[in-house]
Amino acid sequence: MSGTPAYRVAPGADISDDATIGDGSSVWHLAQVREGAELGEDCIVGRGAYIGSGVRMGRGCKVQNHALVYEPAVLADGVFVGPAAVFTNDHFPRAVNPDLSPKSASDWEPVGVTCETGASIGARAVCVAPVTIGAWAMVAAGATVVKDVPPHALVAGVPARRIAWVGRAGSPLVEAADGTDAWVCPSTGEWYIPDETSGGLQLASSPLADAPRPAALHDPDEQDGIPA
């Protein structure tokens, strides 16, 4: 039986002996994976990225170059973390106590960021713990997330606010043409309905053949169906 791990480790990567790396995963140059971290199968940790102690990642996650994922973050299957994105872990960060003595591990309580299945975090975005990024939600590049993001929401800005809904393919959804509160993905034809529990959207259970289609776009240069 070979002792060769079933995952790739590039030269210069620093992986704790106490970390668990799933088969088919890759950890690239200068990345650090701390003790107790758990990475699922087929994950990618980019150059210079940091995965904190005890961080848990599902299968198929991708953490891009120089992203910082501090403990106790939890990433479900298929989460994307863009280049230089940051997951914080301290409510009230200080280097010292009020008497200027150095803070120790017992002087603060770590709080984590949770990313649900398929969520995407854009480049240089900051997620301020504790927040939950809902399933298949998308955080725009450079955004600062300070409150929970519902499933399928696209949020942007500082602080981040919802600007659209997105489907599993990542494309912005359009309103259904039948006047209901459904939303349709122009890329896949999948349609989505409001989820009162999460405040976001959920994939509808009806067959795609029964899905309401996207509303037609009106061209102001056309009159009576004849191009101007």
Side-chain angles (χ1 to χ4, degrees):
M1 180 175 179
S2 173
T4 303
Y7 54 86
R8 173 185 288 185
V9 180
D14 181 5
I15 301 178
S16 169
D17 292 338
D18 192 37
T20 301
I21 313 294
D23 292 351
S25 294
S26 298
V27 181
W28 290 98
H29 307 77
L30 305 179
Q32 183 177 14
V33 181
R34 294 284 304 278
E35 60 275 6
E38 299 179 9
L39 280 63
E41 297 177 353
D42 301 319
C43 289
I44 297 174
V45 178
R47 178 184 175 90
Y50 175 85
I51 308 298
S53 305
V55 167
R56 301 200 310 275
M57 295 169 51
R59 66 182 305 274
C61 292
K62 188 172 186 178
V63 178
Q64 292 280 61
N65 295 1
H66 302 290
L68 305 176
V69 181
Y70 290 104
E71 66 279 1
V74 177
L75 284 61
D77 293 347
V79 169
F80 175 88
V81 182
V86 178
F87 289 6
T88 74
N89 68 348
D90 194 348
H91 274 302
F92 310 110
R94 293 290 195 198
V96 296
N97 294 303
D99 62 0
L100 295 183
S101 61
K103 273 187 174 289
S104 67
S106 61
D107 290 329
W108 66 291
E109 180 182 357
V111 289
V113 173
T114 300
C115 291
E116 297 179 344
T117 302
S120 293
I121 313 300
R124 291 193 179 276
V126 178
C127 295
V128 181
V131 292
T132 296
I133 313 300
W136 303 103
M138 184 175 291
V139 176
T144 298
V145 179
V146 296
K147 63 180 181 180
D148 292 350
V149 177
H152 293 284
L154 168 60
V155 299
V158 180
R161 294 182 174 85
R162 188 182 70 81
I163 59 173
W165 297 110
V166 292
R168 296 190 299 176
S171 300
L173 303 179
V174 295
E175 294 182 3
D178 64 351
T180 67
D181 54 3
W183 295 81
V184 183
C185 176
S187 298
T188 66
E190 292 177 339
W191 62 293
Y192 300 80
I193 56 175
D195 179 6
E196 295 181 359
T197 301
S198 68
L201 299 182
Q202 60 181 337
L203 185 67
S205 58
S206 301
L208 293 181
D210 297 331
R213 309 317 302 165
L217 298 177
H218 173 66
D219 186 344
D221 293 329
E222 294 186 3
Q223 297 180 353
D224 301 324
I226 301 175

